[in-house]
Amino acid sequence: MPQRDPEPGEGILAGITGPEHLRRLGNDELRRLAEELRQRVISVVSRRGGHLASNLGMAELTIALHCVFDFSSDRLLWDVGHQCYAHKLLTGRRDRFDALRQAGGISGFPDPSESDYDLFATGHAGTAISTAMGLAWADKRGNAARKVVAIVGDASIVNGLSLEAINNLGRLGRQFLIVLNDNSMAIDRTQGGLADVLDRIRMTHTYSGLKQSTERILQRLPMGEEVTEAIRHIKDGLRTTIHGGGIFESLGISYFGPVDGHDIPTLIRTLRALSDMDRPALLHVHTEKGRGCQYAVEDPCRFHSTSAYRVEAGQAVFAEPGRPGWTEVFAKALIAEAQTDSRVVAITAAMPDGTGLAKFRERFPDRMIDVGICESHAVAMAAGLAKGGLRPVVAIYSTFMQRAMDQVFQEVSLQHLPVVLCMDRAGLVGSDGAVHHGMMDIAMLRPMPGVVLAAPADAAEMAAALRFALAGDGPTAIRYPRDTVPADLPGACPAFELGRARIIREGPDGTLLCYGTTVEPALSAATILSQQRQAEVAVVNARFAKPLDAALITRMIQSGKPMLLCEDHAVAGGFGSAVLELAADRGLRAENVRLVGMPDRYVSFASRREQLTEVGLDAAHLSAAMWDLIRAERHAAQAR
Ligand SMILES: Cc1ncc(C[n+]2csc(CCOP(=O)(O)OP(=O)(O)O)c2C)c(N)n1
């Protein structure tokens, strides 16, 4: 008879009061606990959405880490942090876990405001070893004996930032443990030379091989004081068994492994032995992405991060999306361009699925490059491709494009090369929260001379913007949100012309001047104003944040009629700021102009709709804000 999964109020997990409790459990109980953690994660993620496959692989390793270390004082750093669900369940957040990624609930990433067990709010790859090193240095100076552990995935350890930290780590001269969680996957398959090395280690260690290599480590690692001396002694012996681990060894980091990441007793014994080392070490752990959940094991990429679903006959079933998303529309438009222009090539930094480039790869396998999680390299390489005569399109989420700003500056903008940056997830991103909002791309790119900034407002405009960008002789950045694409705008879509806005709706009483995606709520706001207030306002897609349609915007400001500048971006330094700079430059009185966008604080995780409402970018808030301006302007006119 298959066992019934425990309900949230029963089982071993229900009795866990804190990580210290784990040390009182036997191996069988710990194994059952791992299963319970998985079932809890599946149950919540299937209803709330979230990161599934990586978390399922982390149950045993998380338990073992909490058994060996005391992270109420020792330091635990998660790289990216999307794999910390079991950690959350074991560190006091079990009862609130059902509200995962819901407004006011539990974050999908580590979050110090939730628990002292989370040291940094994270979400971007490659940071854990650096921040952990900083903590280790600080403790060394303060003579604190805390242990430091950084958990890093096989895709994140090849990130430039991780490698810079590893290069520096050999000099640390104190305990420091990197746990390399190797499941051979990023979101898609891990890319690159180091991935090949790890793959070779994986292939030479079948399950029984793993057992042997672990035994070899353990036999040679006596517990207690002599451990470091013993390790020094066995180094040569080990080196012959470690293959690719030599890379770390040569950088002064002792390599151990690989070990089976689902074998709790072995993990505990190995971690305990390594916890006493007085210098940096790396434990290479093999885990299975999607462990214990058939559909996630079969398609770990699909279930890396998932929306809510229901299970029917053992398969996950998703609600049909009402309309296509921006990602899909972008991929379609790019494929169409690539069909007529053989110079077009596409680059992703480990996100072929998320950016839509997986579709492009199906159609043009030789013209898509996945560089791994290294956005800076992606952009610098795109500069080389452009110089070499190709037309590179780099598709990166806005939040991750931040990593590549120096390359956009020096390699792309300064050389004025025709690189097209397509920034998905630009704007509020919903349940991933503050670590993933695309809130600063305009502000970061706007100061770079020669960079054109464009934003489409519907599917036809996406195709037109891309066509325009690919025809240009310099860099263009196109931004679009994590959302479904709105219904087609009225009328035929005019081609994108440099610095020309598109008037979508006319109206004498004021203007909602939008940048891209905010056109949709602005059109609804205009309808509300027309129906409820008999006020007729214009709706315009500026299309370009740089260069602005200076002539049109000047006329609109000079009319003295109210204007709302609406953008799904931080108000500071964004599109609205560009308009106000124009006004100041031309000596225009912008007294009836207001900015709507993200405020100067981090907007927490919630649904994207809730977040848009929170910052005033929904139709109701826009119409109310516009009506306030219209009324004030009418009063002022009467008083004159
Ligand atoms: C700088 C940056 N780029 C891209 C991402 C998107 N991303 C989130 S998780 C992930 C894959 C991580 O793979 P790995 O580190 O091996 O962890 P696993 O999920 O396999 O446990 C990627 C690419 C990110 N979080 N940060």
Side-chain angles (χ1 to χ4, degrees):
M1 272 264 296
Q3 278 188 330
R4 187 175 65 87
D5 298 326
E7 295 296 321
E10 30 180 81
I12 300 170
L13 180 58
I16 302 280
T17 48
E20 65 287 349
H21 192 137
L22 300 178
R23 288 170 220 133
R24 301 203 289 271
L25 302 178
N27 285 336
D28 281 345
E29 287 168 306
L30 292 175
R31 281 188 204 103
R32 289 213 309 276
L33 176 62
E35 271 320 309
E36 285 181 27
L37 287 169
R38 271 194 271 277
Q39 290 313 321
R40 193 67 195 283
V41 167
I42 294 169
S43 158
V44 173
V45 172
S46 64
R47 284 176 289 116
R48 304 301 196 190
H51 288 92
L52 184 67
S54 309
N55 278 297
L56 296 178
M58 277 300 294
E60 288 87 358
L61 185 50
T62 306
I63 289 172
L65 281 163
H66 278 292
C67 281
V68 172
F69 296 91
D70 173 8
F71 293 118
S72 64
S73 64
D74 292 337
R75 313 293 207 175
L76 177 62
L77 280 303
W78 297 90
D79 205 87
V80 185
H82 62 300
Q83 71 291 55
C84 72
Y85 291 3
H87 163 79
K88 292 204 174 201
L89 285 165
L90 296 173
T91 52
R93 287 164 275 184
R94 181 193 56 219
D95 295 339
R96 291 181 292 150
F97 193 68
D98 198 45
L100 182 71
R101 294 153 55 92
Q102 310 302 296
I106 288 285
S107 167
F109 293 97
D111 186 346
S113 72
E114 275 174 15
S115 166
D116 291 342
Y117 283 98
D118 296 2
L119 292 170
F120 277 82
T122 57
H124 287 205
T127 64
I129 304 175
S130 297
T131 50
M133 261 188 90
L135 287 164
W137 270 108
D139 276 352
K140 199 172 155 186
R141 281 190 64 79
N143 280 327
R146 282 186 281 245
K147 307 277 167 63
V148 177
V149 180
I151 302 187
V152 191
D154 55 299
S156 299
I157 205 159
V158 296
N159 179 268
L161 196 50
S162 298
L163 294 179
E164 287 170 31
I166 285 172
N167 183 45
N168 194 208
L169 186 60
R171 307 276 153 87
L172 183 66
R174 57 148 284 173
Q175 179 281 337
F176 189 103
L177 180 63
I178 299 174
V179 177
L180 169 58
N181 173 34
D182 178 4
N183 55 23
S184 78
M185 297 286 292
I187 295 175
D188 211 306
R189 282 204 70 78
T190 307
Q191 299 293 322
L194 196 53
D196 294 345
V197 170
L198 297 178
D199 244 10
R200 274 202 297 281
I201 298 179
R202 186 174 281 273
M203 280 185 294
T204 50
H205 288 80
T206 55
Y207 181 71
S208 59
L210 267 190
K211 276 249 174 277
Q212 277 170 16
S213 81
T214 310
E215 279 314 311
R216 258 199 301 268
I217 295 171
L218 290 172
Q219 277 163 17
R220 288 167 163 145
L221 278 181
M223 304 297 178
E225 285 165 11
E226 333 95 282
V227 72
T228 305
E229 200 37 48
I231 286 168
R232 266 189 206 123
H233 231 69
I234 59 170
K235 209 115 260 318
D236 287 343
L238 263 182
R239 197 169 278 132
T240 56
T241 71
I242 58 180
H243 308 280
I247 291 173
F248 301 105
E249 292 277 327
S250 52
L251 293 169
I253 301 164
S254 302
Y255 170 97
F256 298 94
V259 298
D260 177 0
H262 302 294
D263 176 348
I264 294 177
T266 299
L267 283 171
I268 290 177
R269 284 164 67 207
T270 317
L271 286 168
R272 197 164 282 150
L274 294 179
S275 71
D276 281 332
M277 280 187 71
D278 64 356
R279 58 210 170 88
L282 180 144
L283 178 63
H284 184 178
V285 181
H286 278 175
T287 59
E288 183 185 28
K289 202 160 175 172
R291 178 93 173 174
C293 177
Q294 199 50 37
Y295 49 84
V297 169
E298 282 166 9
D299 195 351
C301 179
R302 175 75 189 78
F303 289 96
H304 176 84
S305 171
T306 176
S307 51
Y309 61 89
R310 60 182 196 283
V311 180
E312 282 174 17
Q315 291 304 316
V317 181
F318 292 87
E320 282 295 315
R323 300 191 53 78
W326 279 101
T327 308
E328 192 182 333
V329 163
F330 156 70
K332 226 167 135 183
L334 182 62
I335 290 169
E337 291 302 316
Q339 265 159 351
T340 55
D341 186 347
S342 61
R343 298 172 307 163
V344 173
V345 289
I347 305 170
T348 176
M351 316 274 306
D353 248 43
T355 57
L357 290 189
K359 289 259 178 311
F360 183 90
R361 181 173 57 189
E362 279 169 25
R363 182 72 184 74
F364 303 107
D366 301 337
R367 290 162 65 182
M368 200 283 252
I369 309 170
D370 182 351
V371 295
I373 310 177
C374 34
E375 290 78 8
S376 344
H377 165 56
V379 171
M381 194 178 78
L385 289 164
K387 195 127 189 153
L390 297 177
R391 286 298 167 126
V393 174
V394 192
I396 295 182
Y397 292 3
S398 163
T399 188
F400 302 137
M401 189 64 88
Q402 288 160 206
R403 283 286 173 86
M405 279 302 154
D406 193 48
Q407 289 66 45
V408 181
F409 148 62
Q410 183 175 284
E411 276 63 47
V412 177
S413 159
L414 195 57
Q415 327 293 327
H416 199 68
L417 286 167
V419 172
V420 181
L421 307 173
C422 290
M423 298 180 299
D424 202 324
R425 269 63 163 179
L428 292 156
V429 294
S431 44
D432 280 338
V435 284
H436 279 39
H437 291 318
M439 57 185 273
M440 27 190 150
D441 52 278
I442 305 174
M444 286 183 158
L445 291 167
R446 216 156 57 75
M448 297 192 201
V451 177
V452 172
L453 302 184
D458 72 354
E461 286 207 353
M462 169 63 94
L466 201 56
R467 185 159 316 133
F468 163 85
L470 285 165
D473 64 356
T476 304
I478 303 173
R479 78 190 308 266
Y480 42 96
R482 174 181 209 166
D483 216 331
T484 51
V485 180
D488 293 345
L489 296 173
C493 172
F496 268 56
E497 260 177 73
L498 186 65
R500 278 290 289 277
R502 175 182 179 188
I503 299 171
I504 296 159
R505 183 190 202 277
E506 304 267 9
D509 296 321
T511 304
L512 289 153
L513 179 56
C514 306
Y515 186 49
T517 182
T518 51
V519 163
E520 186 187 20
L523 282 170
S524 306
T527 305
I528 293 172
L529 285 165
S530 174
Q531 290 172 350
Q532 297 179 5
R533 308 286 185 188
Q534 285 77 52
E536 297 301 329
V537 295
V539 175
V540 175
N541 183 14
R543 284 189 163 187
F544 294 91
K546 187 179 182 179
L548 290 170
D549 190 334
L552 177 72
I553 293 172
T554 300
R555 277 202 308 279
M556 289 190 307
I557 297 177
Q558 276 174 335
S559 77
K561 290 290 174 191
M563 273 175 85
L564 275 190
L565 310 177
C566 315
E567 61 188 314
D568 190 2
H569 182 277
V571 164
F575 162 71
S577 301
V579 172
L580 292 184
E581 284 166 25
L582 173 83
D585 190 48
R586 297 195 165 191
L588 306 174
R589 292 182 56 166
E591 60 207 351
N592 287 331
V593 181
R594 298 287 181 278
L595 283 68
V596 190
M598 292 185 220
D600 188 19
R601 65 178 167 77
Y602 290 109
V603 175
S604 186
F605 51 93
S607 72
R608 180 168 147 80
R609 296 286 142 227
E610 288 167 324
Q611 290 166 343
L612 288 167
T613 301
E614 184 183 330
V615 304
L617 279 173
D618 60 330
H621 279 90
L622 290 179
S623 60
M626 194 64 183
W627 179 238
D628 283 350
L629 281 180
I630 292 172
R631 262 194 327 194
E633 192 261 329
R634 284 180 183 169
H635 282 143
Q638 274 166 9
R640 276 199 293 270

